[in-house]
Structure formats: structure tokens, C-alpha cells
Amino acid sequence: GQDDFDGAAISSSYRNIIYVHTVCISPNHPTATALSSVFQETNEQKLYKIATELLKTERAYVTRLNLLDQVFCAKLTEEALKGTFPVDVVKNIFSNISSINTFHNQFLLPDLEKRMGEWESTPRLGDILQNLTPFLKMYAEYVKNFDNAMELLKQWTDRSPQFKAIIQDIQSQEACGSLTLQHHMLEPVQRVPRYEMLLKDYLKKLPQDDPDRRDAEKSLDIIAMAATHSNSAIRKSDNLKKLLEIYEMLGEEEDIVNASNEFIKEGHILKLAARNTSAMERYLFLFNNMLLYCVPKFSLGGAKYTVRTRIGIEGMKVLETINEDYPHTFQVSGKERTLELQARQDLNPPHNTPYRAFQETIEIFHQKNETFKSASKDVEEVSVSTAELGKRAPRWIRDKEVTMCMKCKEPFNALTRRRHHCRACGYVVCWKCSDNKVALEYDSNKINKVCKDCYSILTGEEKAEGKKKGILEIEAAQFSGSSIICGFLQHCEKNKPWGKVWCVIPEKEALVLYLYGAPQDVKAQSSIPLLGYSVEDSPRPADPPASFRLSQSKSVHSFVAESEELKQRWLKVIRVAVTGEVPESQMPNDATANATDTQETSSDST
């Protein structure tokens, strides 16, 4: 209890610290309370720690992007220009990685660096991450192309020795960290879910009344939607890696590297001979649509197994058999061949036998080949009637009987849309459709989670959807009144028909072009993040007058203005925006009124 620390007090403090760390004491102990206040991390420190983690991972991410864009893509393009292999192959593999790299290298990372330098006066992240959201469309294009990129990469690595040599040379360099090109290409797919995780953690620590909360929540809503697509691509990529591994184990002779093939299980098994019932060592690879029955290959390197038979899952039957000499046997009967197998108990515990894996795979295969309509029809026969709803326990539909939410029809997945059961009707629904609670009579009037339809029936009221606004749900008039340029243009994407659209490049998002159906629409039809696009205005034989094009990777947007003068005004703005610079406003001084005034001004100027 001394005001000044003397030697005895310091010695006593050290003894107390040792005491706390070596003896289990009550949390109410005075020493424990004092130490807790000293060592407990403040909320501000936690927020700073999250921001530091974001900056650290962003730096590492930009390094990966540079490796993909400036090393892998650049070296392969250089070789392709010599005529060794098509330039389009390289473009289609790396998609829009150059634009993604430019955005993070020149904009997001510098913004984060600057913010961390002034964190004491401006401790916030939401406003910076909100600037990321218009550019998530770039990630949508990259993720959409990912399967095709992996297929092309595999195809041309096999086909072209020069292509393969360049990749292997770069992969052997220290900058690659002993990782493959496929691994590095997964980085952009994984990045958006990581932003989501960091933002969720940030919001947990952020006080409810913090001025950054609104921006952070808005950013999270949009980033979370984009992360759903990325998570799906991550799972596909993991499966693809496994297929490549098996492809190498089979001596690169079996054509199994295909996005439709899903790996299920592999392992040693014993094959019973038909004549003398002796057991022979074999190896199985089970996929969602086939079984590879293999023989071990005794070699020092290269292939480990040789495929004896490929049996399709369609029409396959699995039966447990009784054999006094060999327990745990079962028969696999397919169109191609019938096998009698014995599970090796030293490698297969009872709860995870190959027999069960076969049964589950066959059930899933047939389930996926049935329509949702027929599944729903079967369900109706056992569903609880409206009169009995909540009064009688329902029969729960098995998880494996459905592949999509029985209410909104969205497909289930392991991460973002998992299965839940309505406690009233027993249907399998997603979390969005089961976010309702009501007392159920059969469960002693306890509160239970139910689907939205049962909620409406049991309570007599509609549940508000509470849908969050998407990135395109910004009124055209709101943008047009404070835009760099806006007006009508004819628009065509790829081979789609031409259509008249109201185009806006807003002041607050000067690098994004929004396309609306009309000047007063409350939601844009689409948006184009202009950064990294190529601008072409040289006339082509079939093009109308005053036309120009924006192209990036496989994406091509064609536009036609009402006059050459108006076309030049648009090009003046767009040519600046694609470089990442903020263009000057092209709107007349009196064009700050509503969208209708802007529309008239634009039309008159032509």
C-alpha cells in the first residue's frame, strides 16, 4: 500500500507475479485484479492490432500480385510474342490480374500505409475499405475464370515444353517460396474472404457509437457477398490440387483432371480372388462419379499405381457379404466389373469403412441426378399439415436428401450456406430462411427456430426481409447530381443486343462507370471498374459513327454516343480514369440539379 516503490515493494511485486503465474488463485484476489488492469489489452490497442494485421497482409499480398503480374505473366507473354504458343493462352490464364495488381499497388496499399501513419488522429478503416467495394467486380471476373485458368495451365504445361520450362524456372526462384504457380494464383481468390474475416473482427471490437461503424458495416455487407463466390472457388481449387496429385500418382496417364470430378476417398484395400479366395493388396480412388481400381506399382520414382478398372458410379450397387475366412467384406458391382473386397481394419476404423463411403457416394450421385421438384414432391407426402403445425413434432428431412434450401432454392455449401432444420415443418433450409423464432406447442411452448413460411402461419404476420442494399442499389439521380459526366449512350457487351443506357461516372467513385436503364432508376443494371481497361476508338467497318470500346481480358464493352463531340467528352474522362487518376468534371456549371436537368443538358450539348 506504499505510494513510492522501494526495494522491498518491488521484491514483493515480483513475488506476487510469480504467485499468480504458479498458483491457481481466485480472480477476486487483489494481486490478480491489479495485474489484470496492467496487462489487459485495451480496445483501442486491439483495433490498432487489427489494422496493423491488415496492412501487413496487404503488403504480402501485393508482393504476390507483382509475382503473378510482373514475373509469371510478363515472362510467358514475352515468350508468346515470339510465336512459341498463343498470346491469348496467357491472357486467358491470368485474366485481369494486371488490373487487380494496379489497384492494390497504387491505391489500396498506399491508402493503408498513409492511414497507419496518422492512426492516432484518424483511427478508422471502414472508409478506406469502402473504396475497395466498387472494384470487387474485378475479383468476380477473376474467380469466374479460375477453373478455366487452371485447365489451360494444365493443358499447356503438358503441350508446350517452353511453357513448362518458364514456369518451372520461376518456381525454382527464392521469390516463389517453393510454391507452384497454381498456389500463387489462388491468392486473389482467398484475399476477399480474408478482408471479410478482418472486418468482422474489427467490428466486434468497434464501439457501437464509433463514427467508423457505418462505413465498416457497409463495407462488410458488400465484401461478404463477394466472399461467397471466392469460398466456392477455394473449395474447387483444393479439389483440383488433389486431382493433380492423383494424376501424378497414376503416371499422368489417366484423364481425371476435370472440374466435374470430385475426390471423395482413397486407401488400401484387399481384393478377394474368385477361385482360391486369397487376398491381394489393391488401392482405390473414389470420386463422385467413378471408382479407380488400382494395383500398386513397385518403382523407385514416378507412378505409384496402375489403373486396372474404371467403374462408373451410375448403376453401381454395394452389398455387404459374409465370408467366414475374411471378415468385413463387401461386393462392388458396376456395369464394367464386379469386385469382392475386404476392408483393412488396421487402416479403416469401423465408423469410417470403405463400404459406407461407397454407399454415401452412390446416394449423393443419385440425389444430384434427381430434380428438386421430385424431392419436394416426396417431402409433401410426409409434411405436417397446417392445422397440426407447431402442435406435432415434424419428420426431419435428412440433410443428404436435398442439395439446396427448400425455401429460397439457393444451393447449400459447407461455409456460407449451411443446412438448418425448421423445427415446425422439418424442412432443410439455409440460415437466412430460418432466422425466425416462435414458441412451439409440441415442445412445451419453448422458443424454436422456424422457417419464414412457418413463422407467418404460426404468428399471422409477415417477417420483414431486411435485405441490405447491394453495390448497384444507388439511385441514378443521386449520382447524376454530383457526377463527373453523365448521359445516354448506346451499350453492347460481347454478342448481346444494343440497348440505350443512362451512364454515370460519379464524383465520389471517379474510377467506376455505372449503367442505369433510366435517369431515375434506383438500381444500376451493372457497373464497370474502369481501372486497367483499354480504350479503343478507331473506327471498324461494322461500327456505327461516334463509337468506342472498353476491353479487358475477355470483357468487351462497346458504346455509341449521339455525336462525335459527346463521344470525345466521354473519352476525355475515361482515358484518365483507366490510368487510376481522377478526371476533371465535364458537367456544365448549372448541371448540379437533378438527373432530369442533367439529361436535358447532355442532350442539348449534342
Side-chain angles (χ1 to χ4, degrees), residues 301-320:
K304 293 184 178 180
Y305 304 99
T306 299
V307 177
R308 277 283 179 87
T309 310
R310 183 188 290 225
I311 305 173
I313 298 297
E314 185 174 6
M316 181 183 285
K317 293 180 181 179
V318 184
L319 299 171
E320 285 188 291

Side-chain angles (χ1 to χ4, degrees), residues 535 537 548 567-576:
V535 184
D537 69 330
F548 62 94
K567 166 189 164 181
Q568 294 304 325
R569 282 174 54 193
W570 276 99
L571 288 177
K572 184 178 179 180
V573 172
I574 292 172
R575 283 195 170 114
V576 175

